[in-house]
Amino acid sequence: MNSVAVIPARGGSVRLPRKNVRLFMGRPLIAWTIRAALDCGVMDRVIVSTDDPEIAEAAVAAGAEVPFLRPAHLATSEATSMDVVLHLLDALALAPDHVTLLQPTSPLRGADDIRDAHAMALDGGAPGVVSVTPFDKPWPVLRRLDGTGWLTAPSEPIEGPPTHMLNGAIYHVRRSALLESGSFTPAGTVGFVMSADRSVDIDTATDWALAEATARLHPDRFAAPV
């Protein structure tokens, strides 16, 4: 039973330019996800899909495979992660049992998170496992704002199971379920709960500052390179 980690990283990030190779705690941002994937001990291959030579160089230096540069039509903001992963599997003629999508914008996710999510998929037989973090605001505080400015309360029950939100850190799916459903969260997907301090998804400069401040609270996990 084999597993492949795919790390998508295009060069044209808009809201935070060049974020994938920007230094985060002394290393290029993408290097932290590569290190976690390599250190988790359950991935047969760790492959980066990028269109950008500088990202490719940083990825190889961190220990990942970059077998090719992604074609231009898969490097736009319209291209989906599904497009990128299916292209990679087809281009390399790969047929792994499991595919794990790891976004480089989640540097606080650890090797143990990836390993535990992988074990959850194997032990429970679920078609997919996706990382989530608790949504700690009660439903009564939520409001929808429509085009006229009116506030309405969502039609969700106040009582019920705890609420969680996708944190973007781990999408683990059986390849058969991925191909059949065309989704990283096929029916029957289960949630792998991660704490808020591991769930920051970097999209803006504010996210970056929050992630770095959080990382500094864990010097053992985010030691600068020697």
Side-chain angles (χ1 to χ4, degrees):
M1 189 171 295
N2 58 344
S3 298
V4 170
V6 179
I7 302 171
R10 70 187 184 95
S13 51
V14 177
R15 302 185 71 182
L16 193 57
R18 309 302 298 162
K19 64 183 175 184
N20 288 313
V21 289
R22 181 176 174 179
L23 293 185
F24 179 87
M25 301 298 288
R27 289 185 172 92
L29 179 66
I30 194 171
W32 293 102
T33 291
I34 293 170
R35 190 178 84 166
L38 293 171
D39 289 352
C40 75
V42 296
M43 295 298 157
D44 296 284
R45 298 178 69 173
V46 176
I47 307 173
V48 169
S49 172
T50 184
D51 62 307
D52 188 277
E54 185 182 2
I55 294 175
E57 182 179 357
V60 170
E65 299 177 47
V66 186
F68 53 76
L69 289 182
R70 191 193 306 176
H73 72 278
L74 291 176
T76 67
S77 56
E78 288 75 30
T80 66
S81 295
M82 178 65 68
D83 295 332
V84 169
V85 169
L86 293 180
H87 169 263
L88 184 145
L89 294 178
D90 182 63
L92 299 180
L94 293 179
D97 295 314
H98 299 264
V99 177
T100 302
L101 178 71
L102 300 172
Q103 299 186 128
T105 49
S106 298
L108 306 183
R109 166 234 303 111
D112 52 339
D113 294 314
I114 301 171
R115 183 170 53 249
D116 292 346
H118 185 273
M120 179 182 284
L122 267 59
D123 295 343
V129 173
V130 63
S131 59
V132 297
T133 191
F135 181 75
D136 59 2
K137 301 296 183 183
W139 280 113
V141 306
L142 297 182
R143 295 294 183 273
R144 290 194 175 95
L145 184 63
D146 66 16
T148 65
W150 285 87
L151 288 175
T152 57
S155 56
E156 297 287 348
I158 294 176
E159 302 297 333
T163 53
H164 295 77
M165 49 187 183
L166 301 176
N167 68 2
I170 302 170
Y171 293 88
H172 180 96
V173 64
R174 295 178 186 271
R175 183 179 59 89
S176 56
L178 179 75
L179 297 178
E180 182 179 349
S181 68
S183 171
F184 287 102
T185 55
T189 293
V190 298
F192 173 74
V193 180
M194 290 172 57
S195 60
D197 67 347
R198 292 188 174 211
S199 297
V200 179
D201 181 19
I202 297 177
D203 188 43
T204 66
T206 300
D207 297 333
W208 186 284
L210 175 60
E212 281 202 322
T214 304
R216 290 192 184 97
L217 298 176
H218 304 278
D220 54 326
R221 289 173 50 206
F222 295 94
V226 178

